[in-house]
Amino acid sequence: MTDPLIVTTRRLLLNHLSIALVGLSLAWLSGCRPSASVPTPQLPAEAAETPAGDEATPAGGDKTPAGAQPLPGAEPEASSEATPTTALAVLEAMAAAYRKASTYSDKGTVRLAVQRADGPIDQWSDFAVVFERPNKIRMDVYEANVVCDGKVLRATIADLPDQVLVKEAPDELTMKSIYGDRELASALSMGFVGGSPSLMLLLADNSLDVLLQGVERTTLDERGKIGDHDCYRVRITRRDGTTVFWIDRKTYVLRRIEFPVDELRQMLAQGGEVKDVSLVANFTDARFGMALGAEAFQFEMPADAKQVTFFVPPHPAQLLGKKVPDFKFVDLNGKPITPESLAGKIVVLNFWATWCGYCRESLPVLSKVAQQYKDKPNVVFLAVSIDTPDIENKTLRETAAAWGASVPIARDPKRNMNTVFRASGAPNSFILDAESVVQDFEIGANPDLAAVLPKKLDQLLANKDIYHEPLAEYKKQLEEYERAMEAPEPEMPEGDTVEGDTVQGDTVESDTVEGNALESDTVEGDKVEEHRIPRPKIAQRSQPETFKLTPLWKCTELKAPGNIVVVPRPGAAPRLLVVDAWKSIAEVGLDGKLLATHKLDIDRMEVVSTLRTAVGADGKRYFAAFFGASTQQRFHLLDEEFNLVLSYPKDALKNPHRGIADVELGDLDGDGTLQAYVGYWGVIGVQAVSLEGKRVWSNRAISNVAKMAIGGPDSDGKRLLFCTNISGSLATIDAAGNRKDTITVQRKGDVTDEDRVLRWIVAADLTGDGKLEWCGMAGMHFGDNLVVGLTLAGDELWNYSLPHGVYPQAIEPIIPGRLAPGADAQWLLPGPDGSIHVIAADGKPLDRFNHGAALSGLATAESSGRRMLIVASKDALEAWSVE
């Protein structure tokens, strides 16, 4: 069983190092560069917890690693022209040495060592870099290999063994030429602890600016020794902790980095006492100026690998028209099921799980189709469970029977659905013909399964192939992505800039990767097969099956409509508010007419995407406007007429932090006075702020607080604040700002033993009984959009998979609303493909339909007994009546 703390540790380390090293390097991909000057900002007064002192302590508060003891009594040498006497001067000398180096090589090992009460953790990863200017390199980092011999750049990724990236070598290597391919950048950067800082120092013109971005202070500590090498020790302090660079005094080559461990220690302490933590990167044999022969940059082409100009991740469509690779399932009696045992039969494989809400709907439909072919022994249906081994066969049988499904059940103990069929989640379906050729696949549930599947099977029974259409659709997606790659980027409204795109604290690369336009079909005579990764495809517009939508109006007066807030008013129609063009709040009547546009009094560089609202005991309503999916520095408190009350933290534009992730307005202590609860990226944690802009309390026990929700009142009228955080759990904070419990949501069953990694949480009373229902979004990777219903005991009640992909717009992903008739409300879930999913409070899927465009806002409203669905997209705000 995987230790969940180790899993979470990996996520935390990726956050630290991808921000400190790789994330900054990837700034070149989006054309974002730090300014030429290197400020040393102070903490914003409102955000600062305690003033930072000037004392020199070991990195992260831990002892100096063994084998690198500081020299007793050593002090910085006296000032001279050749000897730097300040930390900044040492760093400048290091950066200059790397820029001037004609050749360089190193071998690195990054090691995490934890002494915990329940046992040690010892994790490490190796990497190596060999470099010669202007355009030769060999990198072996994690599971990726990059080699450029000055003529051709080639790369491989272990997870994509059948592909070799082949491109013409650039005249001069840059960060973009290495990190320009998204899959390669991920493989080089998102391993155990991020990427190689030596690469940034070698290739970046402004490496020192990048290195010092967000730095509060630099300190030159007493010198140290690594083997025979005397080293400067430069301490760099950021908000997320302290990093120590060990720099060779003679050559200025980087020999060691000690990374910050405060957040890591904090997270690990949730599992018990932590005695010691260290996270250290050693650059063994790092040196400049060595002679390098041609053999250092030789590349051995893997057998049978395809040459591509862009890495393509595994996709089920790549199996179409081909014989299925070997797989092995077992039936409930333990008998193996393989392609050989199914030879000569048309096979429908349906992957399902007892925890899958949509499987509850699709599996009975599959059973009805199977009944139509019960007299055809050459057609086989298998319901392949992906539940974990602890779910007994008896449970599988009972669950299927309770759902009304009678299809033969098999199990997937070796996770072949992931490794062979290249799919994840459930339900997923595949059709094999009598020759074991993959003819069709379906990711997710198909509401038209009962009508569509028999037609496909009948064609196969007539010896007709059916894979051509889905394969053509996949190729069409690739072509669309190719065209999108060549299209110019959309412009922001004049004067508006968003600085970096992040989602829940993790850097998201641009949807288009610079430097990867289509190249020649041949590189030194070798044929190159060109692949492109498709963006989330916008699904074709469709109508709901459960509801009837009748168009009411379409408002095209808004510049760029976004998230929607419906404000109830006693005895009057609700107020419809829409974030517009990042800078304004538009007020639209329920007849679709634009009533007013309220331009926000905010800084030129500030934008907003989200609006929260609440009413205090005095009857006054307030709004909090902010942009959580970025590094925006302040939220803005507005009164009912959208006049600016305050911006918080007041001085954050001059003294920046890692960014505000979420803001909630509420009253935790039940005294009738509203407060703003602010969740931050990084280590600032959560702060309570009065409506006068004074900090009431601060809790730094959690970090990367991407989303918060306010719970229901206890017997004294007090409430708790529930916070997602770096560990993937829910942390609770009381009205006084004290950390209370940690809620870990356990999977209801899956192919792994890990707990859910929550990144979003919403609470709403859907059933009208005065009790809150809880809904979250979970996922380890970008594009994983699994919605889960949960209890505050950590039980997963249901889950529902939304289409894979990163949302094109900054839309709220979970929205309470009422579309279905009756007293209960539902969860409305916008998909990244423009789909809209309606889920009942108990997790039952009620409907799914497609808007036909990327969604930027979604809401429901009621007036005069009429239910309305309101949708914002790039070009318009639209409304339908719902019957």
Side-chain angles (χ1 to χ4, degrees):
M1 178 175 177
T2 304
D3 185 343
L5 284 177
I6 292 179
V7 174
T8 309
T9 298
R10 289 175 180 268
R11 293 197 301 270
L12 181 61
L13 298 183
L14 286 175
N15 177 64
H16 269 310
L17 300 183
S18 64
I19 290 173
L21 302 173
V22 182
L24 295 176
S25 301
L26 288 177
W28 280 267
L29 296 183
S30 59
C32 175
R33 294 175 181 263
S35 61
S37 60
V38 184
T40 54
Q42 299 299 312
L43 282 164
E46 294 91 341
E49 188 64 25
T50 56
D54 292 328
E55 67 276 10
T57 57
D62 293 299
K63 60 176 179 281
T64 302
Q69 297 297 327
L71 295 174
E75 297 290 342
E77 293 183 359
S79 177
S80 72
E81 264 188 37
T83 304
T85 58
T86 66
L88 185 58
V90 173
L91 293 173
E92 288 174 340
M94 177 187 69
Y98 277 83
R99 284 196 303 269
K100 294 176 182 177
S102 59
T103 60
Y104 170 84
S105 72
D106 70 30
K107 292 182 180 178
T109 299
V110 184
R111 186 178 219 97
L112 167 70
V114 181
Q115 292 298 323
R116 215 171 49 175
D118 58 349
I121 297 175
D122 191 8
Q123 300 280 324
W124 69 90
S125 186
D126 299 328
F127 57 86
V129 175
V130 180
F131 172 78
E132 180 177 336
R133 295 195 192 276
N135 60 356
K136 295 182 181 180
I137 196 168
R138 171 181 289 277
M139 294 180 65
D140 295 288
V141 180
Y142 309 120
E143 300 298 314
N145 170 251
V146 180
V147 179
C148 183
D149 61 4
K151 297 179 180 179
V152 180
L153 187 149
R154 300 179 176 91
T156 60
I157 300 175
D159 288 342
L160 302 172
D162 59 341
Q163 301 177 44
V164 176
L165 179 73
V166 180
K167 301 173 65 176
E168 184 178 353
D171 293 335
E172 181 178 1
L173 286 171
T174 63
M175 295 298 292
K176 187 190 301 184
S177 59
I178 300 295
Y179 285 95
D181 181 278
R182 180 175 297 182
E183 292 298 310
L184 180 59
S186 177
L188 291 171
S189 309
M190 307 304 280
F192 179 52
V193 287
S196 170
S198 54
L199 189 67
M200 180 192 70
L201 290 167
L202 288 165
L203 299 183
D205 292 334
N206 58 344
S207 60
L208 187 59
D209 291 354
V210 175
L211 186 65
L212 294 178
Q213 193 174 37
V215 167
E216 298 171 353
R217 185 175 60 258
T218 60
T219 307
L220 187 60
D221 285 359
E222 58 187 20
R223 298 195 298 270
K225 196 177 183 71
I226 299 177
D228 295 330
H229 302 286
D230 291 337
C231 296
Y232 295 108
R233 296 173 69 240
V234 176
R235 182 177 302 274
I236 296 178
T237 303
R238 291 186 177 86
R239 290 184 175 276
D240 58 354
T242 299
T243 305
V244 179
F245 284 72
W246 294 63
I247 301 168
D248 193 292
R249 293 186 62 222
K250 183 178 180 180
T251 65
Y252 294 100
V253 75
L254 180 61
R255 298 207 173 275
R256 170 171 292 166
I257 303 177
E258 299 172 18
F259 292 100
V261 295
D262 292 344
E263 282 188 60
L264 181 57
R265 181 192 294 276
Q266 181 186 101
M267 184 274 298
L268 290 170
Q270 298 177 19
E273 181 185 359
V274 176
K275 300 178 181 178
D276 194 18
V277 182
S278 67
L279 177 59
V280 178
N282 283 302
F283 300 86
T284 308
D285 296 330
R287 52 195 175 125
F288 300 124
M290 75 296 299
L292 297 173
E295 65 277 2
F297 307 105
Q298 289 180 349
F299 180 86
E300 184 175 347
M301 182 69 68
D304 302 325
K306 295 179 181 178
Q307 299 184 40
V308 301
T309 59
F310 204 106
F311 281 116
V312 180
H315 191 284
Q318 296 159 3
L319 301 174
L320 290 169
K322 301 176 183 177
K323 202 154 189 173
V324 68
D326 287 338
F327 63 81
K328 185 178 180 180
F329 308 134
V330 293
D331 66 18
L332 297 191
N333 295 317
K335 182 180 178 181
I337 300 173
T338 65
E340 290 75 20
S341 68
L342 297 171
K345 302 180 186 298
I346 296 171
V347 183
V348 179
L349 299 174
N350 180 266
F351 294 97
W352 70 289
T354 56
W355 45 263
C356 170
Y358 230 154
C359 299
R360 179 168 47 191
E361 304 296 320
S362 62
L363 204 55
V365 176
L366 184 71
S367 296
K368 292 179 181 178
V369 176
Q371 284 296 310
Q372 301 176 33
Y373 295 87
K374 63 182 180 180
D375 297 327
K376 296 185 182 296
N378 58 335
V379 180
V380 175
F381 293 79
L382 279 177
V384 183
S385 168
I386 60 172
D387 285 282
T388 48
D390 59 304
I391 304 298
E392 299 179 352
N393 290 346
K394 178 183 177 183
T395 302
L396 299 182
R397 292 191 184 97
E398 291 175 348
T399 301
W403 291 353
S406 56
V407 179
I409 298 174
R411 305 195 70 143
D412 182 15
K414 296 186 178 295
R415 301 178 61 178
N416 284 166
M417 183 192 73
N418 306 97
T419 58
V420 174
F421 291 92
R422 309 177 184 184
S424 60
N428 297 307
S429 297
F430 291 81
I431 302 177
L432 313 180
D433 67 14
E435 303 296 326
S436 297
V437 172
V438 180
Q439 290 282 346
D440 195 28
F441 73 95
E442 191 87 52
I443 301 301
N446 184 350
D448 300 323
L449 182 68
V452 171
L453 182 55
K455 295 179 181 178
K456 295 178 179 179
L457 295 177
D458 290 345
Q459 286 181 281
L460 292 176
L461 287 170
N463 295 319
K464 295 180 180 179
D465 289 326
I466 61 172
Y467 69 82
H468 297 291
E469 184 175 342
L471 183 58
E473 177 63 24
Y474 176 67
K475 291 180 178 179
K476 181 181 177 182
Q477 292 179 23
L478 298 179
E479 292 169 357
E480 289 176 353
Y481 181 76
E482 181 176 322
R483 287 194 294 271
M485 289 278 292
E486 297 173 340
E489 284 293 296
E491 295 182 2
M492 291 283 292
E494 185 175 355
D496 295 349
T497 303
V498 179
E499 302 177 15
D501 298 325
T502 61
V503 176
Q504 283 106 41
D506 296 324
T507 299
V508 177
E509 295 127 3
S510 168
D511 280 339
T512 60
V513 181
E514 296 179 30
N516 281 278
L518 290 178
E519 302 181 15
S520 170
D521 286 344
T522 60
V523 176
E524 290 194 356
D526 295 330
K527 182 69 176 179
V528 176
E529 180 178 342
E530 293 179 341
H531 290 302
R532 292 294 182 266
I533 302 173
R535 291 177 174 179
K537 181 188 176 184
I538 299 301
Q540 186 175 359
R541 191 161 189 150
S542 64
Q543 294 297 317
E545 293 188 355
T546 306
F547 315 109
K548 179 183 177 182
L549 299 182
T550 303
L552 291 175
W553 48 261
K554 183 175 183 178
C555 178
T556 58
E557 296 180 70
L558 278 63
K559 295 179 180 178
N563 281 305
I564 305 167
V565 174
V566 178
V567 180
R569 292 187 291 185
R575 198 176 183 189
L576 182 60
L577 306 173
V578 186
V579 177
D580 188 24
W582 312 104
K583 294 283 192 179
S584 303
I585 307 298
E587 189 165 0
V588 180
L590 293 186
D591 57 0
K593 295 180 180 179
L594 179 61
L595 303 178
T597 298
H598 307 280
K599 186 173 177 60
L600 302 181
D601 184 17
I602 58 179
D603 188 83
R604 183 180 64 85
M605 298 300 292
E606 292 181 300
V607 295
V608 301
S609 67
T610 306
L611 203 61
R612 306 253 194 263
T613 186
V615 178
D618 58 1
K620 293 182 179 179
R621 179 175 292 279
Y622 291 89
F623 298 91
F626 63 99
F627 194 141
S630 76
T631 57
Q632 291 285 294
Q633 297 294 300
R634 307 190 298 180
F635 85 88
H636 310 283
L637 185 69
L638 314 170
D639 65 17
E640 196 158 9
E641 301 304 320
F642 301 100
N643 299 306
L644 182 65
V645 177
L646 60 88
S647 296
Y648 182 93
K650 183 178 180 180
D651 62 345
L653 296 184
K654 295 181 180 179
N655 302 301
H657 49 81
R658 289 272 294 280
I660 289 175
D662 190 28
V663 180
E664 297 291 335
L665 296 177
D667 176 19
L668 294 186
D669 57 14
D671 65 355
T673 302
L674 289 179
Q675 293 177 343
Y677 304 100
V678 187
Y680 290 85
W681 299 123
V683 298
I684 296 179
V686 180
Q687 296 176 351
V689 182
S690 72
L691 299 193
E692 291 74 38
K694 302 296 183 181
R695 191 177 69 196
V696 179
W697 52 254
S698 176
N699 189 304
R700 296 172 66 98
I702 54 177
S703 58
N704 278 0
V705 183
K707 183 67 173 68
M708 302 175 292
I710 297 175
D714 62 14
S715 57
D716 296 323
K718 298 183 182 299
R719 302 170 187 262
L720 293 175
L721 187 66
F722 296 79
C723 310
T724 66
N725 59 89
I726 189 69
S727 71
S729 62
L730 281 179
T732 59
I733 298 177
D734 67 14
N738 300 313
R739 171 78 178 271
K740 306 299 287 184
D741 299 324
T742 297
I743 302 171
T744 301
V745 179
Q746 300 177 349
R747 298 172 185 260
K748 198 172 180 179
D750 206 340
V751 295
T752 69
D753 297 320
E754 300 169 11
D755 294 324
R756 293 294 185 203
V757 181
L758 288 180
R759 63 175 189 260
W760 202 266
I761 188 67
V762 176
D765 180 9
L766 299 185
T767 59
D769 61 359
K771 299 179 181 179
L772 296 176
E773 278 73 41
W774 292 82
C775 187
M777 181 170 280
M780 282 283 290
H781 308 290
F782 289 128
D784 291 346
N785 303 311
L786 183 71
V787 182
V788 297
L790 58 120
T791 70
L792 296 184
D795 297 322
E796 180 177 306
L797 301 175
W798 53 268
N799 65 63
Y800 181 89
S801 293
L802 289 172
H804 186 81
V806 176
Y807 285 82
Q809 307 288 339
I811 189 171
E812 299 270 279
I814 303 173
I815 302 160
R818 181 175 283 105
L819 283 185
D824 291 355
Q826 300 85 40
W827 299 114
L828 306 184
L829 311 176
D833 62 346
S835 55
I836 298 173
H837 307 250
V838 186
I839 309 296
D842 62 0
K844 181 180 179 181
L846 300 179
D847 214 326
R848 167 185 175 165
F849 52 98
N850 303 320
H851 180 60
L855 303 170
S856 55
L858 184 64
T860 63
E862 294 187 50
S863 179
S864 302
R866 181 177 64 181
R867 285 173 287 127
M868 300 172 58
L869 172 67
I870 305 165
V871 178
S873 58
K874 178 182 178 182
D875 300 320
L877 183 73
E878 300 178 73
W880 294 261
S881 66
V882 183
E883 299 176 13

